[in-house]
């Protein structure tokens, strides 16, 4: 019984601390010798001071941003977070001067916990998506597309203009899945009244992540309800580049 109560207390402490940390990024919830590892860049931050400085830089110096939490799991000694970082680029970041551009990119963080504190955190960030949004030439030139996803919409007669307008609106508001590249096509010959949304991804996992990070948003759901009446039918193709 005592062991069960201890486990329950550990779980309660971990949940309370991590939920508060997700909202505040207060480094009191990081162990004094805690380590953060950015697995995309190889950077490592050790101790509360370094971790705190890194978080402050991301959320308040390079960007004026907040984490939009999508999912999380917390147990006694582990935690997992899925979020979308949304904000404005206001300071130098990876050699790119402030652009004042709005950014939105997915991150996942895995945490090892001890006594309710973060012992180690591993950050998985879609840095290529972020750099593309910032207009980095190197990001554009280094993109590799292995899979093409085509969402093909057969439109009702006379609905092309309104459907195209809605797609343009969704792209301007960054409501569409985050892809390495994206273009909107229509028919020049052959079948008519089709809109084709083509997106490129290096891995299918990137495509799945893009869906989870955008298509569960309330704004996107509302937009989709407006788009559906213009569509007669639709289907999806996923193609793999082999040469």
């Amino acid at each position: 019984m005592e062991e069960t109560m201890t486990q329950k207390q550990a779980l309660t402490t971990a949940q309370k601390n991590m939920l508060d940390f997700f909202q505040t990024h207060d480094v009191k919830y990081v162990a004094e010798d805690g380590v953060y590892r950015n697995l995309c860049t190889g950077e490592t931050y050790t101790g509360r001071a370094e971790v705190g400085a890194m978080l402050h830089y991301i959320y308040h110096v390079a960007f004026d941003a907040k984490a939009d939490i999508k999912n999380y799991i917390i147990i006694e000694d582990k935690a997992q977070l899925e979020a979308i970082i949304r904000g404005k680029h206001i300071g130098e970041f990876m050699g790119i001067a402030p652009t004042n551009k709005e950014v939105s990119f997915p991150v996942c963080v895995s945490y090892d916990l001890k006594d309710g504190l973060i012992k180690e955190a591993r950050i998985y960030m879609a840095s290529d998506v972020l750099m593309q949004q910032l207009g980095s030439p190197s990001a554009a030139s280094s993109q590799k597309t292995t899979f093409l996803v085509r969402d093909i919409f057969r439109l009702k007669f006379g609905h092309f203009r309104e459907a195209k307008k809605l797609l343009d609106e969704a792209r301007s508001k960054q409501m569409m899945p985050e892809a390495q590249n994206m273009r909107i096509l229509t028919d020049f010959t052959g079948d008519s009244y089709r809109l084709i949304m083509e997106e490129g991804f290096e891995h299918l996992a990137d495509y799945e992540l893009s869906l989870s990070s955008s298509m569960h948003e309330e704004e996107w759901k509302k937009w989709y309800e407006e788009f559906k009446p213009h569509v007669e039918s639709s289907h999806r193709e996923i193609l793999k580049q082999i040469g």
Side-chain angles (χ1 to χ4, degrees), residues 153 155 159-160 162-167 195 221-231 234:
F153 303 97
L155 304 178
H159 287 242
F160 180 88
E162 286 301 315
K164 176 63 165 57
K165 181 180 177 181
L166 283 168
L167 272 181
L195 271 180
K221 292 178 181 178
K222 181 180 178 181
W223 173 89
Y224 190 61
E225 289 301 315
E226 294 181 21
F227 183 74
K228 283 197 302 183
H230 302 292
V231 178
S234 66

Side-chain angles (χ1 to χ4, degrees), residues 44-98:
T44 299
Y45 307 89
T46 303
R48 288 176 176 169
E50 286 191 10
V51 171
M54 179 271 293
L55 293 172
H56 179 75
Y57 174 75
I58 292 295
Y59 287 101
H60 302 291
V61 178
F63 304 94
D64 180 13
K66 291 184 178 180
D68 181 6
I69 298 172
K70 297 303 176 186
N71 289 294
Y72 63 82
I73 299 173
I74 305 170
I75 59 176
E76 297 96 314
D77 59 351
K78 302 284 184 184
Q80 187 95 24
L81 172 72
E82 177 190 349
I84 307 295
I85 306 298
R86 304 184 191 279
K88 180 179 290 188
H89 179 214
I90 60 172
E92 188 274 335
F93 181 75
M94 296 185 70
I96 301 177

Side-chain angles (χ1 to χ4, degrees), residues 14-151:
Q15 289 175 333
K16 178 179 179 297
N17 288 358
M18 292 306 295
L19 289 175
D20 194 37
F21 177 77
F22 291 160
Q23 298 296 329
T24 65
H25 301 124
D26 192 331
V27 293
K28 72 180 182 182
Y29 299 118
V30 178
E32 291 187 5
D33 59 348
V35 176
Y36 261 63
R37 305 184 192 279
N38 187 328
L39 299 186
C40 297
T41 65
E43 296 171 313
T44 299
Y45 307 89
T46 303
R48 288 176 176 169
E50 286 191 10
V51 171
M54 179 271 293
L55 293 172
H56 179 75
Y57 174 75
I58 292 295
Y59 287 101
H60 302 291
V61 178
F63 304 94
D64 180 13
K66 291 184 178 180
D68 181 6
I69 298 172
K70 297 303 176 186
N71 289 294
Y72 63 82
I73 299 173
I74 305 170
I75 59 176
E76 297 96 314
D77 59 351
K78 302 284 184 184
Q80 187 95 24
L81 172 72
E82 177 190 349
I84 307 295
I85 306 298
R86 304 184 191 279
K88 180 179 290 188
H89 179 214
I90 60 172
E92 188 274 335
F93 181 75
M94 296 185 70
I96 301 177
T99 62
N100 288 319
K101 290 183 177 180
E102 297 291 334
V103 298
S104 173
F105 57 96
V107 297
C108 287
V109 187
S110 293
Y111 300 91
D112 295 336
L113 309 178
K114 184 177 181 180
D115 299 327
L117 300 179
I118 299 169
K119 190 70 174 175
E120 181 172 321
R122 294 171 296 281
I123 305 169
Y124 303 84
M125 182 176 74
S127 54
D128 56 335
V129 172
L130 172 59
M131 298 303 284
Q132 184 179 5
Q133 291 177 5
L134 296 180
S136 168
S138 60
S141 62
S142 64
Q143 288 175 2
K144 177 184 176 183
T145 298
T146 304
F147 293 93
L148 287 177
V149 179
R150 290 177 180 161
D151 288 298

